[in-house]
Amino acid sequence: MSETIGSGPVLAADGTPLKRSLQRSLRLQKLRALLLIAPLLAFILITFIAPIADMLFRSVENEIVSETLPQTVKLLDADGPSAPIVPGNETFSALYVDLYVAVKNKEHTRLGSRLNYEQTGVSSLFRKSGRRVRRLDVEIYKNQFLDVDPAWGEVTTWLTLMEDAKVHKALPQTMWAFSAWLDDVIEDGDKPEEEKLEDYIFVALYNDLSAVSDKAVSRDLINKTASAVGGFETVDFKSAFAKFDKDWHNEDVWKTLRVYSPPYTEGYFLNAVDLQKEFEGYSVRPENERIYGTLFMRTLFMSLIITGCAILLGYPIAWLMSNRPMREANLLMIMVLLPFWTSLLVRTSAWKVMLQQQGVINDTLVWLNIIDEAGRLVLINNQFGTIVAMTHILLPFMVLPLYSVMRTIPVSYTRAAKSLGATNWTAFWRVYFPLSVPGIGAGSILVFILSIGYYITPEIVGGTSGTFISNRIAYHISSSLNWGLAAALGSILLLVVLLLYWVYDRIVGIDNVKLGG
Amino acid sequence: MANTAEERAFVEFERVQKSYDGETLVVKDLNLSMPKGEFLTMLGPSGSGKTTCLMMLAGFETATHGDIRLDGKEINNIPPHKRGIGMVFQNYALFPHMTVNENLAFPLEIRKLGKADREAKVRRALEMVQMGEFGARRIAQLSGGQQQRIALARALVFDPSLVLMDEPLGALDKQLREHMQFEIKRIADDLDITVVYVTHDQTEALTMSDRVAVFDDGRIQQLAPPDQLYEEPENSFVAQFIGENNTLEGVVQEIRDGLALVRLDNGEVIDTTPVNVSEVGERTKVSIRPERVEFDKERLGSEAHTLKAEVLEFIYMGDIFRTRLRVAGNEDFIVKTRNAVNQTRLEPGQQIEIGWLPEDCRALDA
Amino acid sequence: MEKTGIKVINDESSAEAVAKLRAMDEAGNVTWDLVDVVAADAIRLCDEGLAMEIDHDEVLAKAPDGTPASKDFGDLIVSQCFIPQIVYSTTFGYRTDLVGDKKPTSVCAVFDTKTWPGKRSLEKRPINNMEWALICDGVAKDEVYDVLATPEGQERALKKLDTIKDDVIWWSAGADTPQLLADGEIVMGSTYNGRLFSVIEEQKQPVAMLWDAQVFDLDGWIVPAGLSPERKARVMDYLKFATDTQRLADQAKYISYGPARKSSAPLVGKHADLGIDMAPHMPTDPNNAKNTFLYNYEFWADYRDDIDAKFQAWLAK
């Protein structure tokens, strides 16, 4: 600032230095503001944004297939459209190497579980094959390589090859197989030089050397061996796998493998909307497996009803609270907040006691002779029970914003309306109500969004007709462990909420949402 | 018991009482009657009951006891929306979700006027408050003064015979307030409507009203035209409340020939006009307006009593001089003099003698 | 834990053990030292390398007569990572005062709403329910899983369940059925046998066991993989103590779950508070075990995803 003033009338007329110094001071202010919110920002990033990003990522992530079976997937990817579904011995040979390493790392059953979501039976196929693959005798490969050159039996030979980038390029499968072995040895704390090379590495070496003729590696050992592998005796892996389990020759298994080999997949999202991704393309799930569409619609529909009920019940309370003297208002407020101080589980269970067929309400109705013993009403384990319990639980979220908005509506507005000739109803409907709409908006958004993701209450009192999409999400998170599908369902839910928010903004205007004064 | 005067009364309070809690009375035995076309102001400090009276008249509060009549009809049990009384609220209470036009059309819609009628009346009302081109604006887009005008227009648009105004100018700055006082008065006169106006600002009350009712402690202390109220306050509250006032305390020594001799607490004796003192020996507060105090002996009669005074402070205020004196132990005795040619400017520390005409000096209740 | 001097922190979420362990493993911070899981979860955790493989003979105590642990537990060691503790079963209980004069003796009573009207409770998952449905639809016991492996068989089971769909309250927590029975909300319902034992013997409710076609399952310990040697040593020490013959027999003093060691069986005595003989209340007691199933881990590992999708779709219909 001082330089601007100090440099005299010329610069003052020019104006630029002033602007620059203003910018500088504003930047300082912004920086200070940023520093102030930094802890919260970091907190939100870590606890909110990051998990959401992670969820979005998981809903399409499918690297498990290409990471567990990298060599097989490479060969499958290279297959043209006319290639047979069940591949030839070459691919099975690569599968052997992949599976052997996966079993070492205990990754094959997880892949089995993953693929079992798409194709029933793959889980046990992988588990069973995992046990058998370790027992398969492939020693002949090693023996034949040692016959060509005993150097192949030395770990040091391999360690030298590891350092050559060209070898990595020429023998990718071999180098991958060897590093898996090496990692394992080092992890156990052993010296590689003293360990015995495992047979599967030589299968990989054979696969590499027999695949392409021109190796372009200026190493005698490799060139010499490459010309010799043509006459090697081999194991028929294709038949061997069929002996593990005849499903390895089942086209459906390979179709699933081929469809789910890419690192990213839309399969989870398709499943989440009752479609499926098959080798032949997209299709609708069979009718007896369709559920998510129904659940999404039900969740939205019931959340709307719950929001409506909360408005109907909450509005009069909020109105009463804002129009009573402070002491009475506080008492009412405590009654509204009371549910907040009780555990959610206790509240929901209390509704069970109230609503069940041998419960308080039915007992009272029977006692009053309104219904007879046989005609006890079914009030719980259905949609009704869910709506009642959830409206009760979410009511404070409607009442509080309503109250804080209504409190700011001066009594003089209604009085003015009345003095202008409006009846009580007209004054309410034409003047008070429109002014309280922002409160309804805020409350509705809160209640709707909360109920759309509600889980415990529908689980306990919802029975079969009153459960929400979130119950399925929870199931896939904690029981079926299909986190990808859970993430896809969650992402769709998030999308629906954002969409509704946008629609709300278009219709009502988000400025019209007030949590208070 | 009805006599002709009461029959002509347009608004009438008879023995009205109001209590909120059943223990204390906020309004105590209120009697008031005003003719059609009058501009009456209820003036008083906060908590004096003036707003409660207005609200009872509007119908937002019910009288605990007594009758309120409008145009001869008892309105105690008529709900506010059927009373046909226009009202301007303290914070205007313009509906923020409606435009100016919609606000003004609101009472007309309720009265089921046709669209053309409505538009004509709204336009006329807007023009009356000189806001003709603001009809399409939202309330939040208007300044305080503009909102005030719209509030006034809305209260008048449906041609009520009685308009109530509850401190309508309280939120405006001084200059705008003075301008609006004049404006409201003009419109009230033009339309010949009856106005009950509530304020705690005495200048406002004095400049606008035909009559002013000074409220205190739930009672009307004095109901009179502004000049009478200022010059002839009936008790010390009114004297203190209206305008600036000097008070000296003492005991009545003698009452004769319409004059009362008061011995002040420091022993000096002065002539006063007895207003509500009747007995010798009674304590009294003597009230003298600052502009009626003289220190130029030539302007006082020879028989006038004078008091010794010491100048404590001299304040130059442009049109007037304001001098603070110590008189009979009172250090807040104010004298106002006009800034005329040759006017004496007193110096702090100066010893002078002051006096006044007995009719300007009123002996009131203690 | 006076004897062992080990502090035990209970985390009531072992029902979600697999999910939680997997999440902990992904986050690289496994906070559990020892997890109580059902056998199916143990198998899965072991397969995925989330649980540690255990040499049962080395880690666990011998039976008093010197039999090595692996023999004492026998074929209950369904996974190399699993240390079985108890044998429990999922079975039915019924209200003696609500079933009328004819007491139910077969699991098919659940599907017979004519003879025994009223609500029943079943677990909100296909496992067990599908098997029971097929048996009561006339499938021979040893063919149940062959039938259930086919889409037609699955349809058939759901169709059978459909006949009682309106009469079923579905539970998801083991405490639900005992509560529903105690409240008289249901006539009969499935749950874990130990829960029914407390309703009958401890709370003295008018409830009786059905036992027919009960499904055995195992519950036991797994040790998460990758513990530090120090933590591991502590856990192993505790395991050795907690799963010895006497300790396993002792836990039967409190609830009617069978000890997993053969050598514990003769030591099962009387209930700690009630003083009644516990042996007749064990699911493995010959009188109770006339017709039983063993949870088919292999089958459900494969078919759970598929059948569950169909089951849930059917539920939502």
Side-chain angles (χ1 to χ4, degrees), chain C residues 55-132:
Chain C
D55 183 343
H56 291 75
D57 285 335
E58 188 187 316
V59 171
L60 305 176
K62 286 189 170 76
D65 63 1
T67 316
S70 60
K71 269 209 167 147
D72 204 14
F73 284 107
D75 50 12
L76 298 188
I77 300 177
V78 291
S79 154
Q80 264 318 104
C81 307
F82 185 56
I83 302 142
Q85 282 198 99
I86 54 168
V87 179
Y88 71 95
S89 79
T90 307
T91 187
F92 283 90
Y94 61 89
R95 282 281 294 220
T96 49
D97 56 340
L98 296 179
V99 290
D101 296 333
K102 204 172 160 212
K103 305 291 177 219
T105 52
S106 149
V107 71
C108 297
V110 173
F111 297 89
D112 186 352
T113 48
K114 273 213 187 76
T115 319
W116 295 281
K119 298 247 176 200
R120 301 86 168 94
S121 73
L122 292 173
E123 190 172 5
K124 203 193 248 177
R125 64 173 194 176
I127 300 170
N128 300 346
N129 295 330
M130 301 292 269
E131 285 100 318
W132 288 325

Side-chain angles (χ1 to χ4, degrees), chain A residues 58 105-110 113 116-117 120-125 127-128 131 287-291 294-295 298 352 356-359 378 380-381 455 458-459 462-465 467 472 475 477-483, chain C residues 15-20 22-23 25-26 43-44 46-51 53 81 119 124 155 165 169-170 172 176 180 183-185 297-298 300-317:
Chain A
R58 266 181 205 279
N105 299 336
K106 291 200 167 172
E107 281 166 348
H108 64 298
T109 55
R110 205 180 279 196
S113 308
N116 202 63
Y117 300 139
T120 300
V122 179
S123 178
S124 65
L125 177 65
R127 197 178 319 108
K128 210 190 286 174
R131 283 198 298 268
E287 209 212 326
N288 63 357
E289 287 176 20
R290 273 179 240 160
I291 181 170
T294 320
L295 280 181
R298 181 195 287 166
K352 236 168 150 172
Q356 61 184 4
Q357 283 192 293
Q358 306 295 326
V378 183
I380 202 162
N381 295 319
Y455 151 66
E459 182 69 34
T464 55
S465 61
T467 46
R472 283 279 85 192
Y475 167 80
I477 291 280
S478 63
S479 292
S480 81
L481 302 187
N482 194 348
W483 291 359
Chain C
E16 295 161 1
V18 186
K20 289 218 168 177
R22 205 196 243 192
D25 180 59
E26 280 192 15
I43 294 173
R44 191 160 189 177
C46 202
D47 281 346
E48 296 197 4
L50 293 171
E53 284 190 13
C81 307
K119 298 247 176 200
K124 203 193 248 177
E155 272 306 293
K165 195 177 177 189
I169 294 175
W170 300 94
S172 42
D176 290 347
L180 290 167
D183 290 348
E185 280 284 301
Y297 307 110
E298 185 99 359
W300 283 113
D302 275 343
Y303 286 88
R304 186 173 173 177
D305 298 317
D306 181 34
I307 296 184
D308 198 77
K310 290 175 179 160
F311 182 77
Q312 294 296 341
W314 168 77
L315 270 188
K317 233 176 5 200

Side-chain angles (χ1 to χ4, degrees), chain B residues 249-251 253 261-270 305-307 328-329:
Chain B
E249 291 190 33
V251 180
Q253 204 176 30
L261 218 57
V262 173
R263 176 180 296 279
L264 298 180
D265 291 348
N266 71 338
E268 292 188 83
V269 175
I270 53 172
H305 279 100
T306 57
L307 292 174

Side-chain angles (χ1 to χ4, degrees), chain B residues 24-307:
Chain B
T24 50
L25 287 171
V26 188
V27 174
K28 300 169 183 166
D29 195 23
L30 181 85
N31 292 288
L32 175 80
S33 98
M34 58 185 286
K36 208 172 166 79
E38 188 179 43
F39 195 118
L40 181 130
T41 298
M42 293 177 170
L43 175 68
S46 54
S48 60
K50 57 187 192 305
T51 301
T52 307
C53 282
L54 194 78
M55 290 303 166
M56 285 194 285
L57 187 52
F60 301 127
E61 302 286 359
T62 47
T64 315
H65 176 84
D67 291 330
I68 303 172
R69 283 189 283 273
L70 179 63
D71 207 5
K73 260 191 303 188
E74 264 194 39
I75 55 171
N76 290 34
N77 294 319
I78 298 178
H81 66 272
K82 287 189 179 155
R83 295 193 183 187
I85 299 175
M87 185 150 178
V88 180
F89 289 83
Q90 200 168 357
N91 47 14
Y92 320 134
L94 294 170
F95 307 138
H97 57 296
M98 301 183 186
T99 62
V100 167
N101 277 337
E102 284 164 351
N103 262 283
L104 262 65
F106 184 80
L108 306 175
E109 260 173 62
I110 282 164
R111 288 173 174 76
K112 304 209 161 54
L113 262 69
K115 193 163 181 259
D117 269 3
R118 274 197 326 244
E119 280 172 3
K121 275 184 180 264
V122 167
R123 205 177 318 116
R124 210 174 56 220
L126 282 178
E127 270 157 20
M128 178 181 71
V129 294
Q130 293 153 16
M131 294 282 288
E133 62 273 41
F134 289 86
R137 294 271 187 101
R138 297 222 142 239
I139 299 305
Q141 294 169 315
L142 301 177
S143 72
Q146 290 168 335
Q147 290 189 20
Q148 216 292 319
R149 284 164 190 268
I150 300 302
L152 185 63
R154 190 180 65 178
L156 296 170
V157 71
F158 60 101
D159 304 322
S161 49
L162 174 64
V163 176
L164 312 181
M165 302 192 189
D166 182 12
E167 311 215 12
L169 304 178
L172 302 182
D173 61 48
K174 187 164 176 284
Q175 215 175 343
L176 200 54
R177 194 158 63 218
E178 280 167 5
H179 181 72
M180 285 308 298
Q181 287 168 7
F182 168 76
E183 196 93 325
I184 290 174
K185 182 70 182 154
R186 176 184 64 80
I187 291 168
D189 286 347
D190 285 357
L191 299 178
D192 196 26
I193 45 174
T194 313
V195 177
V196 178
Y197 191 101
V198 164
T199 184
H200 63 266
D201 181 334
Q202 39 150 319
T203 323
E204 211 165 280
L206 295 180
T207 43
M208 299 172 79
S209 322
D210 296 330
R211 280 196 301 164
V212 178
V214 180
F215 274 72
D216 187 48
D217 193 26
R219 288 175 204 279
I220 294 181
Q221 300 292 335
Q222 188 171 357
L223 174 59
D227 51 347
Q228 201 181 336
L229 204 62
Y230 185 81
E231 283 163 31
E232 297 163 24
E234 279 173 5
N235 55 41
S236 54
F237 175 79
V238 176
Q240 300 272 359
F241 194 73
I242 306 288
E244 207 167 2
N245 190 53
N246 292 310
T247 306
L248 298 172
E249 291 190 33
V251 180
V252 179
Q253 204 176 30
E254 201 185 331
I255 302 180
R256 65 178 153 84
D257 303 341
L259 286 180
L261 218 57
V262 173
R263 176 180 296 279
L264 298 180
D265 291 348
N266 71 338
E268 292 188 83
V269 175
I270 53 172
D271 285 325
T272 66
T273 308
V275 178
N276 43 14
V277 288
S278 48
E279 284 171 48
V280 172
E282 207 177 326
R283 275 202 76 79
T284 179
K285 274 184 180 161
V286 179
S287 127
I288 312 109
R289 296 285 179 198
E291 67 276 15
R292 300 289 166 98
V293 178
E294 265 316 331
F295 49 85
D296 189 346
K297 270 198 175 166
E298 287 172 18
R299 289 198 214 148
L300 291 166
S302 53
E303 75 282 12
H305 279 100
T306 57
L307 292 174

